[in-house]
Coordinates of all heavy atoms in Angstrom, one line a residue:
S1 N 95.4 53.6 106.5 CA 96.1 52.9 105.5 C 95.5 53.2 104.1 O 94.5 53.9 104.0 CB 96.0 51.4 105.8 OG 96.8 50.6 104.9
M2 N 96.0 52.6 103.1 CA 95.4 52.7 101.8 C 94.0 52.0 101.9 O 93.9 51.0 102.6 CB 96.3 52.1 100.7 CG 97.6 52.9 100.5 SD 98.7 52.1 99.3 CE 97.7 52.4 97.7
A3 N 93.1 52.6 101.2 CA 91.7 52.1 101.3 C 91.6 50.6 101.0 O 90.8 49.9 101.6 CB 90.8 52.9 100.3
V4 N 92.4 50.1 100.1 CA 92.2 48.7 99.7 C 92.6 47.8 100.9 O 92.1 46.7 101.0 CB 93.1 48.3 98.5 CG1 94.6 48.4 98.8 CG2 92.7 47.0 97.9
F5 N 93.5 48.3 101.8 CA 93.9 47.5 102.9 C 93.0 47.8 104.1 O 92.6 47.0 104.9 CB 95.4 47.8 103.3 CG 96.3 47.5 102.2 CD1 97.2 48.5 101.8 CD2 96.3 46.3 101.5 CE1 98.1 48.2 100.7 CE2 97.1 46.1 100.4 CZ 98.0 47.0 100.0
A6 N 92.7 49.1 104.3 CA 91.9 49.6 105.5 C 90.5 49.0 105.4 O 90.0 48.5 106.4 CB 91.9 51.1 105.6
A7 N 89.9 49.1 104.2 CA 88.5 48.6 104.1 C 88.5 47.1 103.6 O 87.5 46.4 103.9 CB 87.8 49.4 103.1
G8 N 89.5 46.7 102.9 CA 89.4 45.3 102.3 C 90.1 44.3 103.2 O 89.4 43.4 103.7
R9 N 91.3 44.4 103.5 CA 92.0 43.4 104.3 C 91.5 43.3 105.7 O 91.4 42.2 106.3 CB 93.5 43.7 104.3 CG 94.3 42.6 105.1 CD 95.8 43.0 105.0 NE 96.3 42.8 103.7 CZ 97.6 43.3 103.3 NH1 98.3 43.8 104.2 NH2 98.0 43.1 102.1
A10 N 91.1 44.4 106.3 CA 90.6 44.4 107.6 C 89.1 44.3 107.8 O 88.5 44.5 108.9 CB 91.1 45.7 108.3
F11 N 88.4 44.0 106.7 CA 86.9 44.1 106.7 C 86.3 43.3 107.9 O 85.4 43.8 108.6 CB 86.3 43.6 105.4 CG 84.8 43.6 105.4 CD1 84.0 44.7 105.4 CD2 84.1 42.4 105.6 CE1 82.7 44.7 105.4 CE2 82.8 42.3 105.6 CZ 82.0 43.5 105.5
E12 N 86.7 42.0 108.0 CA 86.0 41.1 109.0 C 86.2 41.7 110.4 O 85.3 41.6 111.3 CB 86.5 39.7 108.9 CG 85.8 38.7 109.8 CD 86.4 38.5 111.1 OE1 87.7 38.7 111.2 OE2 85.7 38.2 112.1
I13 N 87.4 42.2 110.7 CA 87.6 42.8 112.0 C 86.8 44.1 112.2 O 86.2 44.3 113.3 CB 89.1 43.1 112.2 CG1 90.0 41.9 111.8 CG2 89.4 43.5 113.7 CD1 89.7 40.6 112.5
I14 N 86.7 44.9 111.2 CA 85.8 46.1 111.2 C 84.4 45.7 111.5 O 83.7 46.3 112.4 CB 85.9 46.9 109.9 CG1 87.3 47.5 109.7 CG2 84.9 48.0 109.9 CD1 87.6 48.1 108.3
R15 N 83.9 44.7 110.8 CA 82.5 44.2 110.9 C 82.3 43.8 112.4 O 81.3 44.2 113.0 CB 82.2 43.1 109.9 CG 80.8 42.6 110.0 CD 80.6 41.4 109.1 NE 79.2 41.0 109.1 CZ 78.7 40.2 110.0 NH1 79.3 39.8 111.0 NH2 77.4 39.9 109.8
N16 N 83.1 42.8 112.8 CA 82.7 42.2 114.1 C 83.2 42.8 115.3 O 82.7 42.7 116.4 CB 83.2 40.7 114.0 CG 82.4 39.9 113.0 OD1 81.3 40.1 112.8 ND2 83.1 38.9 112.5
S17 N 84.4 43.6 115.2 CA 85.0 44.2 116.4 C 84.7 45.7 116.5 O 85.0 46.2 117.6 CB 86.5 44.0 116.4 OG 86.8 42.6 116.4
V18 N 84.2 46.3 115.5 CA 84.0 47.8 115.5 C 82.5 48.1 115.2 O 81.8 48.7 116.0 CB 84.9 48.5 114.5 CG1 84.5 50.0 114.5 CG2 86.3 48.4 115.0
A19 N 82.0 47.7 114.0 CA 80.6 48.1 113.7 C 79.6 47.3 114.5 O 78.6 48.0 115.0 CB 80.4 47.8 112.2
Y20 N 79.7 46.0 114.7 CA 78.7 45.3 115.5 C 78.6 45.8 116.9 O 77.5 46.0 117.4 CB 79.1 43.8 115.4 CG 78.1 42.9 116.2 CD1 76.8 42.8 115.9 CD2 78.6 42.1 117.3 CE1 75.9 42.0 116.6 CE2 77.8 41.3 118.0 CZ 76.4 41.3 117.7 OH 75.6 40.5 118.4
P21 N 79.7 46.0 117.6 CA 79.6 46.5 119.0 C 79.5 48.0 119.1 O 79.4 48.6 120.2 CB 80.9 46.1 119.7 CG 81.9 45.9 118.6 CD 81.1 45.5 117.4
Y22 N 79.4 48.7 117.9 CA 79.3 50.2 117.8 C 80.3 50.9 118.6 O 80.1 51.6 119.6 CB 77.9 50.6 118.3 CG 77.5 52.0 118.0 CD1 77.2 52.4 116.7 CD2 77.4 53.0 119.0 CE1 76.9 53.7 116.4 CE2 77.1 54.2 118.7 CZ 76.8 54.6 117.4 OH 76.5 55.9 117.1
L23 N 81.6 50.6 118.3 CA 82.7 51.3 119.0 C 83.1 52.6 118.2 O 83.0 52.7 117.0 CB 83.9 50.3 119.1 CG 83.7 49.1 119.9 CD1 84.9 48.3 120.1 CD2 83.1 49.4 121.3
N24 N 83.7 53.4 119.0 CA 84.1 54.8 118.5 C 85.4 54.8 117.8 O 86.4 55.4 118.2 CB 84.1 55.8 119.7 CG 83.9 57.2 119.2 OD1 83.4 57.5 118.1 ND2 84.4 58.1 120.0
V25 N 85.5 54.0 116.7 CA 86.7 53.9 115.9 C 86.5 54.5 114.6 O 85.5 54.3 113.9 CB 87.1 52.3 115.7 CG1 88.3 52.2 114.8 CG2 87.4 51.7 117.1
K26 N 87.5 55.3 114.1 CA 87.5 56.0 112.9 C 88.5 55.3 111.9 O 89.7 55.2 112.3 CB 87.8 57.5 113.1 CG 87.2 58.1 114.3 CD 85.7 58.0 114.3 CE 85.1 58.6 115.7 NZ 83.7 58.4 115.8
I27 N 88.1 55.0 110.7 CA 88.9 54.3 109.7 C 89.1 55.3 108.6 O 88.1 55.7 108.0 CB 88.3 53.0 109.3 CG1 88.1 52.1 110.5 CG2 89.2 52.3 108.2 CD1 86.8 51.3 110.4
V28 N 90.4 55.5 108.2 CA 90.7 56.5 107.1 C 91.4 55.7 106.0 O 92.5 55.3 106.1 CB 91.6 57.6 107.6 CG1 91.7 58.7 106.6 CG2 91.0 58.2 108.9
G29 N 90.7 55.6 104.9 CA 91.2 54.9 103.7 C 91.7 55.9 102.6 O 90.9 56.6 102.0
S30 N 93.0 56.0 102.5 CA 93.5 56.9 101.4 C 93.6 56.2 100.1 O 93.5 54.9 100.0 CB 94.9 57.4 101.8 OG 95.9 56.4 101.8
H31 N 93.9 56.9 99.0 CA 94.0 56.3 97.7 C 92.8 55.6 97.2 O 92.8 54.6 96.6 CB 95.2 55.4 97.7 CG 96.6 56.0 97.8 ND1 96.9 56.8 98.9 CD2 97.7 56.0 97.1 CE1 98.1 57.2 98.8 NE2 98.6 56.8 97.7
G32 N 91.6 56.2 97.5 CA 90.4 55.6 97.0 C 90.3 55.8 95.5 O 90.8 56.7 94.9
G33 N 89.7 54.8 94.8 CA 89.5 54.9 93.4 C 90.7 54.4 92.6 O 91.5 53.6 93.1
I34 N 90.8 54.8 91.4 CA 91.8 54.3 90.5 C 93.0 55.3 90.4 O 94.0 55.0 89.7 CB 91.3 54.1 89.1 CG1 90.7 55.4 88.4 CG2 90.3 53.0 89.1 CD1 90.4 55.3 87.0

């Protein structure tokens, strides 16, 4: 998704459902920056 949504809107799910349990999920944020 666009980075603002992939990293921003989904942050809590990324933190608790992916990073914390160390799952093999790849997140691709396009349109980074201005």
Side-chain angles (χ1 to χ4, degrees):
S1 188
M2 292 178 71
V4 71
F5 305 128
R9 183 178 293 170
F11 174 76
E12 187 267 331
I13 313 301
I14 294 170
R15 181 188 186 276
N16 290 332
S17 297
V18 173
Y20 178 62
Y22 193 71
L23 295 185
N24 200 25
V25 173
K26 319 303 177 182
I27 300 144
V28 187
S30 72
H31 292 58
I34 60 170

